[in-house]
Structures are given as C-alpha cells and as structure tokens.
C-alpha cells in the first residue's frame, strides 16, 4: 500500500506554515504504525509554485521551502530503517517557465535549438490566433503568445497545463538525455520509485493537428479517442527508455504513471512488460457509489491487465480530486478530475459511512492500493475556503467558475483542539486555513478510539498484510447491489451498496466491519470475514 504525501500539507517542520521534508521525516513513525509500505511524495523541487510544485525550475535539488538534499537523504535513511519505501514525483511533460531552458528559449530566436526543446510555433491568422485548438487541463487554450526580443508579439508556446508550465518536446534529444540524467540522479540517491506525472501528455502527433475540440471543451481525457495531444502511441518510447535505466539498478525500483486515458485497455499499454510497473486506476476513482459501476471497473481492470501481467492499483482520492467522503455524500458520487466537480450538497455522515466501506473494498482487491493523506482520518473536502485563500490555477483559469483542488489540500490535523492542529507550531497559520471542526478528526483524537476511521485503516492494513497475497478474486452472488468476493480462502469481502441490511449468517467469521458489528450488514457498510 502506497501512501500519497502531499508535501505542502503533511507536516511543517520549519514553522513557516508550509509542509516540508523535515516535517515529513518527523512523522514517519505515524506512517509506519498505520501500516504503510511506501510513500509517494509530491514534488519537492525548486519551483515558483504556480501549480504547487508541479512547475519545476531545477530537477536535481530541493526547494529551500521544503528543505535540502541533505534532508532528503536523512528522510530516505529514516524511511528505509522503518521499512518504508519512497517514490518521488517526476514532472517531465513540462518544466516551469522559470526553468533555465525556457528562459533561454524565450531569449533565443524562432527556429533556434533552444526553442526545439519546447513547442514554439507561429500562430494562425497572421500570427494572431493559436497554432491549433488544443486546450489546457486548467481551462482555456493550451497556447500562450510570447514577445520576441524586439518587443513585438511573436510565436506561441504550448502548455497543456498552466502557462507557467510549458510542455517539453520529447522528440528533442536534449530533453531525452537530460531526463535520463535526472532519473539516474534520484535512483542513485536511493529512491525506490518514480511517479510519472501527466504521463499520457509526453508525446504529441507530429505537426500538431487540431484535436477537433468543441468551443467549450473541458479536459475530458478519459473520453478522448485518437487525440493528438494525449495518449499518443509514441509516448511509450519514453517509458521503455526509463525502464531500461531503472532495470540497471539494484533492488526493486518502481515506476508508476499518472494516466487518465480512455478505458482499461489503453491504460494497460502503460504497464506492458518493458514499460512502467504500475499505473493509477482513475476509472476506479471516478466510479460512483454504485455496485454495478464499481464491479464493472474492477472486472474491466483485471481483465485488461491480465494479458500484460501487471498488478492492478486502486485509488479513491488524491491531491487532484474532491475527497471521497464528500464525493460519496453527493447525489452524483462520481468524480470529475482536476477539481472541476460542480459544488453540490453533500451528506457527510453518509459520505463517511461509504468512505469507510470503500476503504475495505479497496484494500481487499487484488493488487496495490494508493491512499491519499488524510483519508485515514476521514477528512472531508473543505468547500468553504475563502476565495482569497484559493491558490490552484484552476480558479483563475476557469474565470472563477471552478474552485479547483485546494479543498482536498488543506493541511492535516495532527493534534490539539484548534488550528494549526499540530501541523505547524502553535500560532503559525497554515498555507490554507483548516476548519475548526477538524478538532475531532485529528490523528491524536482518533488514535486510541477503536471505532475511529484511523483505527479502521490501521486494522485493515494489518489484516491485509497478514492475510492477503496473490490470491485471485472470485465473485459471490449476494444480490445486485452487493459486492461480495473471496480472495482465495484467505478473505471474504462483502460491501453492501443496497438500501437493505445484508445477513452475514453462514458467510464466515467476521474479522472487521466498517460500521456496526451486528449479524446483519447495514447499508453502505462493508465487512471482512474469514470464510
Ligand atoms: C498531475 C498532478 C497535478 C498537476 C498536473 C500538472 O496531474 O497530479 O497536481 O497539476 O499533473 O503537472
């Protein structure tokens, strides 16, 4: 099980209100106690923070706000001593616009080698219009026009994310070689894996043809077919190249991709034997709280991955999505990506019940699971952040129509009864304000309460480690609205998505439930049994 550490919001070790490497290091014991196997840490590189660190200006260093390379070495040593592996986040589709390469490209002439590392093109309509119709994941066009050295409006450059994140051209040998070195730099330092950010973006159809997007298109990459800027087949060359590098290292080094693509067959291509080891499963994350939909995703995922021999992964939340306690409390419980969910009323008590049941479902499925920090505390999305506190580029780029992803990034509550709840030293304001109501959700408040969400996760992770290995999944039929399956003879999982209680009599010995310990499993509850 891999735990996503959103570094800015995990723990502040230096007292500036921003999470950092020393803060993470000071809380490793919590993660070991929870039963985590590995951490994926979001970017710590020097960055102007136009997109929370996913805009990197120097790939072989640590931003002073997050710490130093020495802090990272100490973190790695401590994590490894506790049996925790560490995965770094590599943002290779784009650099920051402050990266020396992009500055050099701006200062160079059209057609220069400096510009071939990115996508600089002349505009259409005499230069006035963007070169094509591609769109940015954060809203608006994917092109920004530059001023040339003579001060006149000039070429346009491509950015599938924010304008401060110019896309690299992966056909450029400079780009390929530079990233070979960066991958080696971190593997040499002892990291156990690399998360490949925005993986499907890293190849474009030559000549950059129009995608045919309708005028108000949003970035619906899970629906796109033959899109010229997403999931283009040439992208797999990059992963083969990195895999060849990774395979020269001792020990197990893992590559995992972030890939929101159209269906499990396209996704399975990322994890062919000579490419990445695993990939996040966004179909599962986006599925609504509905037995048929979830079962279809589970079956589709396992069927598509079997031929390539890669393990499945399961994920319910991340730093890019509405927290699933809130999502599952809404009438429409599926997720949109990148914080474009429409705000809708949420029944948080219902959402929490379902989230706890979903945790048992997720942790019982074959393969790996990714947890997002704070889900083990049952944190909801913070939907009432003041507008002036919002920092996600989505807010500005959507013309203040989508609030973006800040609501799932609010710093963790560790202890105490008022903000900053042990996230930072008392009296320090965290970079996003925490709700006062989180006093009952702190790690400290939940630690010794056997009915808390933290205890549920801890118990489930311990059992999972004890009981589960490679056993295949076999479905049981307990009715249409009930997900029930065995993992060999080791574990039976029953998840009640119906409106009626499900009798557990005769199904085995109950080991753990997400709520209620009666013989009948209440709606929106899950149980693990020894069959
Ligand atoms: C990935 C990250 C997201 C970031 C984007 C651009 O989707 O998870 O947070 O904004 O890439 O790098």
């Amino acid at each position: 099980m891999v735990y996503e550490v959103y570094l800015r919001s995990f723990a502040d070790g230096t007292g500036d209100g921003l999470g950092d490497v020393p803060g993470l290091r000071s809380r490793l014991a919590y993660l070991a106690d929870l039963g985590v196997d590995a951490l994926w840490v979001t970017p710590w590189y020097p960055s102007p923070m136009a997109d929370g660190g996913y805009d990197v200006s120097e790939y072989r260093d640590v931003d002073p706000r997050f710490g130093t390379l020495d802090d990272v070495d100490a973190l790695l040593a401590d994590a490894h001593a506790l049996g925790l592996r560490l995965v770094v986040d590599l943002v290779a589709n784009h650099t920051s616009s402050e990266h020396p390469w992009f500055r050099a490209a701006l200062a160079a002439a059209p057609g220069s080698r400096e510009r071939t590392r990115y996508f600089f093109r002349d505009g259409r309509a005499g230069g006035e219009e963007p070169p094509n119709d591609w769109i940015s994941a954060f809203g608006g066009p994917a092109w920004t026009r530059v001023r040339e050295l003579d001060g006149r409006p000039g070429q346009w450059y491509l950015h599938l994310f924010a304008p401060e994140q110019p896309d690299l051209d992966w056909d450029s040998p400079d780009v390929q070689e530079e990233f070979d070195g960066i991958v080696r730099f971190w593997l040499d330092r002892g990291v156990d894996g690399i998360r490949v950010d925005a993986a499907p973006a890293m190849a474009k159809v030559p000549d950059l043809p129009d995608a045919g997007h309708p005028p108000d298109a949003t970035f619906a990459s899970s629906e796109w077919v033959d899109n010229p800027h997403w999931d283009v087949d040439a992208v797999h060359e990059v992963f083969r190249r990195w895999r060849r590098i990774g395979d020269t290292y001792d020990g197990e080094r893992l590559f995992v991709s972030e890939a929101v693509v159209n269906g499990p067959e396209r996704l399975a291509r990322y994890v062919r034997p000579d490419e990445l080891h695993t990939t996040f499963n966004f179909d599962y994350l986006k599925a609504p709280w509905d037995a048929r939909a979830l079962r279809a995703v589970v079956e589709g995922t396992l069927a598509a991955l079997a031929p390539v021999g890669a393990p499945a992964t399961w994920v319910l939340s991340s730093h890019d999505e509405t927290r699933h306690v809130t999502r599952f409390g809404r009438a429409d419980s599926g997720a949109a990506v990148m914080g474009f969910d429409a705000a809708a009323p949420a029944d948080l008590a219902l959402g929490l019940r379902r989230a706890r049941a979903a945790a048992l479902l997720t942790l019982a499925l074959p393969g790996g699971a990714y947890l997002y920090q704070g889900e083990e505390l049952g944190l909801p999305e913070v939907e009432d952040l003041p507008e002036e506190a919002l920092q996600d580029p989505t807010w500005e780029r959507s013309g203040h129509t989508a609030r973006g992803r800040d609501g799932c990034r609010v710093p963790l509550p560790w202890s105490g009864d008022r903000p900053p709840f042990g996230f930072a030293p008392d009296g320090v304001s965290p970079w996003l304000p925490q709700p006062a109501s989180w006093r009952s959700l702190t790690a400290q408040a939940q630690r010794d309460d056997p009915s808390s969400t933290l205890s549920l996760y801890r118990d489930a992770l311990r059992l999972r480690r004890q009981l589960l290995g490679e056993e295949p999944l076999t479905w049981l039929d307990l009715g249409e609205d009930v997900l029930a399956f065995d993992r060999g003879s080791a574990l039976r999982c029953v998840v009640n998505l119906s409106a009626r209680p499900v009798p557990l009599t005769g199904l085995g010995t109950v080991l753990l439930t997400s709520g209620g310990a009666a013989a009948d499993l209440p709606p929106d509850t899950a149980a693990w049994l020894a069959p």
Side-chain angles (χ1 to χ4, degrees):
M1 192 281 285
V2 185
Y3 183 99
E4 179 187 353
V5 172
Y6 189 68
L7 189 61
R8 299 202 286 168
S9 303
F10 189 73
D12 170 15
T14 57
D16 60 358
L18 190 69
D20 47 40
V21 176
L24 168 57
R25 194 176 160 216
S26 74
R27 298 281 184 184
L28 286 176
Y30 166 85
L31 296 174
D33 179 57
L34 178 60
V36 167
D37 301 306
L39 318 179
W40 145 36
V41 186
T42 55
W44 51 38
Y45 316 104
S47 164
M49 302 284 164
D51 183 24
Y54 283 91
D55 48 320
V56 178
S57 52
E58 154 65 289
Y59 286 84
R60 293 179 178 81
D61 205 349
V62 178
D63 192 286
R65 285 165 287 189
F66 290 138
T68 62
L69 281 172
D70 286 344
D71 290 331
V72 163
D73 290 341
L75 173 74
L76 273 168
D78 286 6
H80 288 161
L82 287 167
L84 299 170
R85 301 185 183 195
L86 198 138
V87 174
V88 291
D89 208 327
L90 185 59
V91 190
N93 173 62
H94 42 266
T95 67
S96 160
S97 52
E98 300 290 312
H99 189 282
W101 271 7
F102 193 71
R103 288 167 176 254
L106 286 181
S112 58
R113 174 170 174 181
E114 284 80 358
R115 289 207 172 176
T116 62
R117 296 167 181 152
Y118 297 89
F119 292 94
F120 279 84
R121 295 290 184 277
D122 295 333
R124 295 199 277 211
E128 300 294 313
E129 300 285 332
N132 66 27
D133 69 350
W134 296 2
I135 54 174
S136 151
F138 299 140
W143 294 93
T144 291
R145 195 168 190 189
V146 302
R147 286 197 177 275
E148 302 295 355
L149 287 180
D150 61 10
R152 289 197 221 158
Q155 289 196 298
W156 299 69
Y157 70 90
L158 177 70
H159 51 85
L160 290 180
F161 294 89
E164 297 87 351
Q165 294 165 299
D167 278 47
L168 289 163
D169 185 345
W170 270 86
D171 284 339
S172 152
D174 285 355
V175 172
Q176 296 168 4
E177 280 157 30
E178 177 68 4
F179 276 89
D180 287 353
I182 293 165
V183 166
R184 286 204 179 90
F185 178 86
W186 292 102
L187 292 177
D188 285 341
R189 259 196 137 81
V191 306
D192 303 286
I194 292 179
R195 177 224 185 227
V196 183
D197 182 70
M202 291 167 63
K204 278 87 181 174
V205 167
D207 299 335
L208 318 185
D210 275 342
H213 290 306
D216 293 331
T218 53
F219 213 79
S221 60
S222 57
E223 288 155 29
W224 293 340
V225 178
D226 287 336
N227 178 292
H229 60 70
W230 200 260
D231 195 24
V232 172
D233 286 341
V235 79
H236 297 282
E237 286 312 315
V238 181
F239 311 138
R240 293 197 180 101
R241 186 178 180 108
W242 288 358
R243 178 64 180 260
R244 284 196 295 273
I245 297 175
D247 282 350
T248 64
Y249 281 79
D250 293 340
E252 284 179 297
R253 310 286 178 124
L254 166 99
F255 287 99
V256 54
S257 60
E258 182 211 22
V260 184
V261 295
N262 190 342
E265 285 77 22
R266 292 299 298 182
L267 190 64
R269 298 166 65 87
Y270 287 71
V271 289
R272 288 178 289 193
D274 58 346
E275 299 194 39
L276 309 172
H277 301 85
T278 60
T279 184
F280 299 133
N281 186 344
F282 285 91
D283 286 347
Y284 185 69
L285 186 151
K286 286 193 280 168
W289 185 247
D290 173 86
R292 258 162 295 184
L294 284 164
R295 181 170 168 156
V297 170
V298 171
E299 286 179 341
T301 303
L302 296 176
L305 291 174
V308 291
T313 65
W314 312 100
V315 60
L316 290 165
S317 272
S318 80
H319 68 286
D320 291 328
E321 330 290 343
T322 302
R323 282 192 178 273
H324 60 275
V325 165
T326 300
R327 183 157 60 82
F328 287 151
R330 290 177 177 166
D332 176 4
S333 52
V337 282
M338 290 284 171
F340 275 93
D341 297 41
D347 174 345
L348 293 183
L350 175 68
L352 181 60
R353 264 200 314 283
R354 291 177 170 176
R356 291 170 57 109
L360 293 197
L361 169 64
T362 304
L363 294 174
L365 290 171
Y370 280 80
L371 304 188
Y372 175 49
Q373 68 180 36
E375 74 169 81
E376 78 279 17
L377 303 176
L379 297 186
E381 183 83 0
V382 180
E383 297 192 279
D384 58 355
L385 286 169
E387 289 182 359
E388 57 286 2
L390 296 179
Q391 306 207 11
D392 184 0
T394 303
W395 174 239
E396 289 301 329
R397 300 258 322 154
S398 69
H400 297 188
T401 57
R403 290 172 68 86
R405 303 162 292 174
D406 292 317
C408 66
R409 299 174 172 181
V410 172
L412 288 190
W414 289 96
S415 57
D417 55 13
R418 64 194 139 86
F421 295 122
F423 166 75
D426 273 346
V428 171
S429 301
W431 70 278
L432 286 173
Q434 301 156 304
S437 59
W438 279 11
R439 74 174 70 81
S440 59
L441 295 176
T442 64
Q444 185 187 47
Q446 297 194 43
R447 190 177 46 210
D448 301 322
D449 172 1
S451 68
S452 71
T453 303
L454 180 57
S455 295
L456 177 72
Y457 272 81
R458 208 197 287 120
D459 293 347
L461 287 167
R462 187 179 24 93
L463 277 174
R464 172 183 156 98
R465 198 176 278 211
Q466 276 167 12
L467 299 175
L468 288 179
E470 309 263 300
E471 301 83 2
L473 173 152
T474 328
W475 294 103
L476 305 175
D477 184 4
L478 296 185
E480 248 187 353
D481 294 334
V482 180
L483 292 174
F485 57 87
D486 283 346
R487 294 287 311 283
S489 55
L491 185 77
R492 174 164 291 165
C493 177
V494 182
V495 190
N496 183 4
L497 294 97
S498 79
R500 306 165 309 278
V502 171
L504 293 177
T505 340
L507 290 178
T509 314
V510 174
L511 302 172
L512 186 63
T513 72
S514 67
D520 286 345
L521 189 65
D524 299 310
T525 309
W528 282 3
L529 305 104

